[in-house]
Structure formats: structure tokens, C-alpha cells
């Protein structure tokens, strides 16, 4: 074969390898596809990707070409053992011209009935001197085209691409796992048993929470400060089908009026000076999950129109763009204001009020459910005791004082 043709083929293979490795995060599928590409384009008999498992210090095959499942299972090495183990240990590639004449070549897979005449190339898969695998290839140079140097060069590039991919895959896998663990802890933390109270009024509210948690209905949480609106909003999210997706809170009282629109809907690149990159809004961040619009009573009238449109059409435009963005977001809103009174006063749009008020849940203040105070106190003392490894309990006198506490005394 002429050299130019061969070089073209090498380039095409490398291109194909990089395409496969960026197509998904499926380790085995991608590496097997890479071996297939290398085998067909570079006429190799067999090929394997070995990875080092740091937990038990064993080097195992994760992808192969031209080997049976039983042969793959047999391909296990320790660090320093055979050629594979040596390349992992040294981080330098090795070339064996004829495996029949190399005593270090162990053929543990038993995949070569006759060893004589087969050449073997073993390339480290490494990043920054950390070798975490090897790429091995069987070739018969007498029968086919290509030289050892050509092969080493191509395999070196393929090995580098694989190294990047494996590193990213490993990071991705660990992050996914950590994210899953954290989400299930949040699911446990924000569950109905952790909303404490045994009073009739709270039971009534919790019944509604239980009923709507699994649905996509818009919920309006009403109640004074500290009645647990945020706690309930999170519970609604973490007990819903959307629990694996983000819960995104926005405190509308904490944002200056001029920033609310950009914060909610995002900003298109180049929308105004300084917008060098596109900025994602909270609606987009919450896609698939729940958006918690806290202190909804503070939303300026102009933005109330925009919010109404999103709730009606499930789509909006980023600031500085006319292209609609569609999102699948469940909205939970909360306020400590009497929203209906705000409507009457002309501070809150009536149409938006009815859009949000699909399922209103009123959270009663503690002074209307004093019997819940000892339950809450005991719950939090138990939590803090666990957290700080203490064994503190509350005296009966202190408990009575707190239960009888009159909030009106705070007003000086
Ligand atoms: N029923 C409850 N059980 C357990 N903890 C509660 C309960 N109600 C409130 N809390 C706790 O009290 C604190 C205040 O609750 P939260 O922030 O949800 O109130 P809020 O209604 O959002 O208040 P604000 O209007 O001031 O924002 C939180 O730490 C919350 O976990
Ligand atoms: Mg709150």
C-alpha cells in the first residue's frame, strides 16, 4: 500500500476514534468501538484495553477485539507481571517483535494458538505520569502493511485520547454517584416525618402536601415568617417525581427590581454591554425540576405579566433575545403577605394570583399550635445532640416558659 494512502487511513482512524470517545460516557461500549476501528483500519489481529483497578491492584481487560469472553476473563495481571504489568509499572511503551521468542510474554488469555511470528505492541494509557491502563495490539508485520513506528505513533495518539476519556469518565462516574447520594440524603431530610407537629391545623396543611407532592400542580404556600414555607417547598420537590432534578429557590425580596428579569429568564450573549456570554436564568436551571419563587408578593407588576405568560405558555425569552425557550418546570410560590389583599389594593395582578393559587396551602403560626412547641424543641435538641455529640436535655421549667411565650412581648 502506498504511504500516502496509509497515512490517510491513520488520520481517518484517529478522527473516528476521537468521534467515538466523545459520543457518550459508556466506558465499555466506547473502548470496544475504538478497538474495532483500530483493528479494521490498521490490520491488527487482536487488541485489548487493560485498566488498573487501584483497589485490588489488579490489571484487567475492559475492552477487546478478537478475543472470546473466556479469554477476556483470563486476562488479569499484577503490577510488574508480564509485559502488560511492566508497562503499567514503568509508564513506557514496549514492542515485542516475536512473542514466540519472548519469555516475558505470558499469553495469559490463551488467545494465541501459535505465538510464533506475532509482534506485540503495548502502549501506556496515562496522563501526567499517572499510568492507569495499557493498550495492546497483536500484529503480523510480514503479512501486512505498515511499520512498527507508524503503528506506535497511531497507537500513542489513540492511547492519549483514551486516557482523556477514561479520566473524564471516572470523574463523571464519581460525581454522578456523589450527586445521587446527596440527593437521596436530601430526600430523606425533606420528607413528611421531618415536618414536626401534631396539631389539627398543621395536620390539615400536611394532608394537602401529601396529596400534591407527586403531582405537577402549582402550589402557593401562605404563612407568616418562620412557619416552614421553605421546608414545605423542599419537601414538595424531594417527594416528587422531580426529586432527581434541581430544586431552584429564588428569593424575590432579596433581588433588586432591575435584576429580577435577568435572574429569572437569563441573558442572551451580547444583549447589553458586559454580556459576553449567555447567562442561564433560574427557569432554565430548574428545567425538569422545581422553581421555588419565595416572597412572590414582592414581584414588581411589570414582571408579574411576564411570569403569568411563562405559567400559561411554559415558554419565555431571555433578555435580549426573541427566541422562545421552552422549559418543564414545576412552580411553588410562597409569601407571608395576604396576597388577596394585595390584589384588592392593586399591587398584585388578579390573573396571576389565580394562576398561582391552584393549590393554596396555609401554614399555621406556632402561636396557633402551641402544643407543637415541645415536639419541635425535642426534635431540634435531638438533632443538635447527634450533630455535636452531646446529650443535652431541656428542663421542664424551660419547656413551659417557651410554650407559654408571648410573641407580642417582643414589640418594644
Ligand atoms: N414544622 C416544622 N418542623 C420542623 N422544622 C420546622 C417546621 N417549621 C419550620 N421549621 C424550621 O424553622 C426554620 C424556618 O422555616 P422556613 O425557613 O421554612 O420558614 P419560612 O416560612 O420560609 O419563613 P420566612 O417567611 O421567614 O422565610 C427552618 O429551619 C425550618 O426547618
Ligand atoms: Mg422562607
Amino acid at each position: 500500500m502506498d504511504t500516502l494512502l496509509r497515512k490517510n487511513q491513520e488520520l481517518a482512524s484517529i478522527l473516528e476514534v476521537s468521534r467515538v470517545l466523545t459520543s457518550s460516557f459508556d466506558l465499555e461500549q466506547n473502548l470496544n468501538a475504538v478497538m474495532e476501528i483500530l483493528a479494521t483500519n490498521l490490520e491488527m489481529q487482536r487488541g485489548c484495553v487493560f485498566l488498573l483497578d487501584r483497589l485490588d491492584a489488579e490489571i484487567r481487560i475492559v475492552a477487546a477485539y478478537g478475543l472470546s469472553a473466556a479469554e477476556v476473563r483470563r486476562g488479569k495481571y499484577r503490577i510488574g507481571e508480564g509485559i502488560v504489568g511492566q508497562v503499567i509499572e514503568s509508564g513506557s511503551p514496549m514492542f515485542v517483535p516475536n512473542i514466540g521468542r519472548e519469555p516475558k510474554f505470558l499469553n495469559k488469555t490463551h488467545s494465541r494458538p501459535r505465538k510464533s511470528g506475532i509482534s506485540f505492541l503495548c502502549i501506556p494509557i496515562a496522563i501526567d505520569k499517572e499510568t492507569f491502563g495499557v493498550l495492546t495490539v497483536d500484529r503480523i508485520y510480514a503479512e501486512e502493511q505498515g511499520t512498527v513506528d507508524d503503528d506506535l505513533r497511531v497507537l500513542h495518539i489513540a492511547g492519549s485520547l483514551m486516557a482523556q476519556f477514561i479520566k473524564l469518565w471516572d470523574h463523571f462516574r464519581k460525581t454522578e454517584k456523589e450527586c445521587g447520594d446527596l440527593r437521596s440524603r436530601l430526600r430523606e431530610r425533606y420528607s413528611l416525618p421531618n415536618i414536626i407537629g401534631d396539631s389539627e391545623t398543621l395536620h390539615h396543611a400536611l394532608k394537602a402536601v401529601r396529596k400534591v407532592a407527586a403531582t405537577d400542580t402549582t402550589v402557593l404556600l401562605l404563612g407568616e415568617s418562620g412557619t416552614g414555607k421553605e421546608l414545605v417547598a423542599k419537601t414538595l420537590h424531594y417527594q416528587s417525581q422531580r426529586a432527581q432534578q434541581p430544586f431552584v429557590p429564588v428569593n424575590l425580596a432579596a433581588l433588586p427590581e432591575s435584576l429580577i428579569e435577568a435572574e429569572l429568564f437569563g441573558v442572551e450573549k451580547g444583549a447589553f454591554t458586559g454580556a459576553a456570554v449567555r447567562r442561564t436564568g433560574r427557569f432554565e436551571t430548574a428545567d425538569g425540576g422545581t422553581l421555588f419563587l419565595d416572597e412572590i408578593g414582592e414581584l414588581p407588576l411589570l414582571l408579574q405579566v411576564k411570569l403569568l405568560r411563562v405559567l400559561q405558555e411554559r415558554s419565555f425569552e431571555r433578555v435580549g433575545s426573541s427566541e422562545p425557550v421552552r422549559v418543564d418546570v414545576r412552580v411553588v410560590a410562597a409569601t407571608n403577605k395576604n396576597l388577596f389583599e394585595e390584589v384588592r389594593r392593586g399591587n398584585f395582578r388578579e390573573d396571576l394570583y389565580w394562576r398561582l393559587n391552584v393549590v393554596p396551602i396555609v401554614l399555621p403560626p406556632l402561636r396557633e399550635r402551641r402544643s407543637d412547641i415541645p415536639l419541635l424543641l425535642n426534635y431540634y435538641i435531638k438533632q443538635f445532640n447527634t450533630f455535636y455529640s452531646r446529650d443535652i436535655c431541656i428542663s421542664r421549667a424551660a419547656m413551659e416558659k417557651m410554650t407559654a411565650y408571648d410573641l407580642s412581648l417582643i414589640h418594644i
Side-chain angles (χ1 to χ4, degrees):
M1 195 194 291
D2 91 44
T3 345
L4 200 62
L5 202 64
R6 171 88 195 168
K7 291 261 179 282
N8 263 339
Q9 208 164 23
E10 286 176 2
L11 202 61
S13 324
I14 290 164
L15 216 73
E16 186 74 349
V17 166
S18 72
R19 197 189 56 76
V20 160
L21 290 179
T22 47
S23 65
S24 78
F25 261 130
D26 190 321
L27 181 81
E28 286 182 25
Q29 184 187 303
N30 285 9
L31 294 182
N32 274 313
V34 169
M35 295 319 283
E36 179 98 34
I37 295 164
L38 293 178
T40 7
N41 292 358
L42 306 176
E43 299 136 11
M44 63 187 203
Q45 271 67 41
R46 275 165 225 92
C48 295
V49 179
F50 287 84
L51 285 185
L52 169 66
D53 184 339
R54 294 220 176 265
L55 281 183
D56 56 7
E58 194 170 62
I59 307 158
R60 288 188 286 269
I61 298 177
V62 288
Y65 173 84
L67 270 78
S68 71
E71 288 165 351
V72 165
R73 271 196 301 278
R74 282 197 290 266
K76 289 178 184 159
Y77 292 82
R78 314 298 304 178
I79 299 170
E81 183 190 15
I83 308 276
V84 166
Q86 242 180 42
V87 170
I88 287 265
E89 194 171 39
S90 68
S92 310
M94 278 179 84
F95 170 64
V96 181
N98 186 346
I99 58 174
R101 289 207 212 109
E102 173 59 66
K104 273 205 196 106
F105 192 86
L106 304 176
N107 194 21
K108 282 177 92 173
T109 57
H110 303 305
S111 55
R112 299 144 186 110
R114 274 185 305 118
K115 295 204 281 183
S116 192
I118 299 177
S119 303
F120 183 73
L121 298 98
C122 189
I123 280 88
I125 297 177
I127 286 182
D128 245 3
K129 295 199 174 64
E130 184 204 352
T131 308
F132 41 85
V134 293
L135 167 62
T136 70
V137 161
D138 282 17
R139 283 278 264 135
I140 301 176
Y141 285 105
E143 291 173 9
E144 288 124 4
Q145 298 295 319
T147 67
V148 179
D149 282 346
D150 286 344
D151 281 354
L152 280 175
R153 199 179 53 244
V154 176
L155 293 175
H156 187 80
I157 299 172
S160 301
L161 293 171
M162 281 183 186
Q164 303 274 9
F165 166 71
I166 294 164
K167 200 82 189 170
L168 273 177
W169 169 82
D170 194 41
H171 191 68
F172 173 76
R173 193 183 51 135
K174 281 184 190 143
T175 314
E176 279 277 282
K177 162 118 187 28
E178 205 177 313
C179 215
D181 289 351
L182 286 173
R183 286 223 166 95
S184 50
R185 272 170 61 189
L186 283 169
R187 198 178 167 86
E188 219 174 278
R189 163 74 187 87
Y190 295 107
S191 59
L192 280 151
N194 285 330
I195 301 180
I196 307 302
D198 210 11
S199 61
E200 187 69 30
T201 43
L202 189 72
H203 267 300
H204 187 71
L206 294 189
K207 212 168 132 187
V209 171
R210 205 169 289 125
K211 221 168 163 178
V212 293
T215 69
D216 273 346
T217 321
T218 305
V219 176
L220 180 61
L221 301 170
L222 302 159
E224 292 175 23
S225 190
T227 47
K229 297 186 292 295
E230 182 150 358
L231 178 67
V232 168
K234 287 180 179 164
T235 306
L236 283 170
H237 172 73
Y238 286 108
Q239 299 309 315
S240 77
Q241 313 271 338
R242 297 170 175 262
Q244 297 304 315
Q245 304 298 323
F247 171 84
V248 179
V250 195
N251 187 341
L252 294 165
L255 288 169
E257 193 175 328
S258 56
L259 289 186
I260 298 181
E261 186 176 4
E263 200 61 40
L264 288 180
F265 306 118
V267 180
E268 193 53 71
K269 186 176 164 183
F272 39 70
T273 345
V277 284
R278 172 191 285 174
R279 239 183 60 209
T280 312
R282 306 279 177 111
F283 262 100
E284 266 179 280
T285 311
D287 197 15
T290 305
L291 182 70
F292 176 43
L293 297 172
D294 204 0
E295 315 281 6
I296 189 81
E298 305 300 320
L299 191 67
L301 273 165
L302 205 73
L303 283 155
Q304 290 179 20
V305 190
K306 299 204 172 184
L307 178 62
L308 179 69
R309 232 201 84 210
V310 187
L311 295 180
Q312 279 169 344
E313 295 166 25
R314 300 279 147 192
S315 91
F316 59 89
E317 286 98 36
R318 297 187 193 102
V319 175
S321 158
S322 55
E323 204 175 307
V325 181
R326 288 204 74 79
V327 283
D328 165 27
V329 167
R330 185 211 194 150
V331 171
V332 175
T335 182
N336 53 17
K337 282 189 170 172
N338 181 339
L339 215 52
F340 195 68
E341 183 59 28
E342 293 298 307
V343 171
R344 222 181 45 77
R345 286 195 193 147
N347 294 333
F348 205 82
R349 289 182 67 104
E350 190 174 355
D351 43 11
L352 179 60
Y353 173 76
W354 291 115
R355 266 281 158 188
L356 292 170
N357 200 45
V358 184
V359 176
I361 298 179
V362 182
L363 294 164
L366 266 182
R367 67 171 178 283
E368 283 173 21
R369 48 185 184 107
R370 284 178 187 271
S371 59
D372 285 347
I373 296 175
L375 296 176
L376 273 162
L377 279 169
N378 287 329
Y379 171 81
Y380 278 107
I381 285 173
K382 202 171 144 203
Q383 273 207 352
F384 292 135
N385 273 340
T386 316
F387 193 79
Y388 294 109
S389 307
R390 302 291 289 270
D391 193 18
I392 287 167
C393 56
I394 194 159
S395 74
R396 180 191 273 261
M399 182 74 90
E400 275 169 10
K401 253 196 170 132
M402 281 194 256
T403 314
Y405 193 71
D406 189 349
L407 262 181
S408 61
L409 293 179
I410 286 180
H411 301 294
I412 307 166

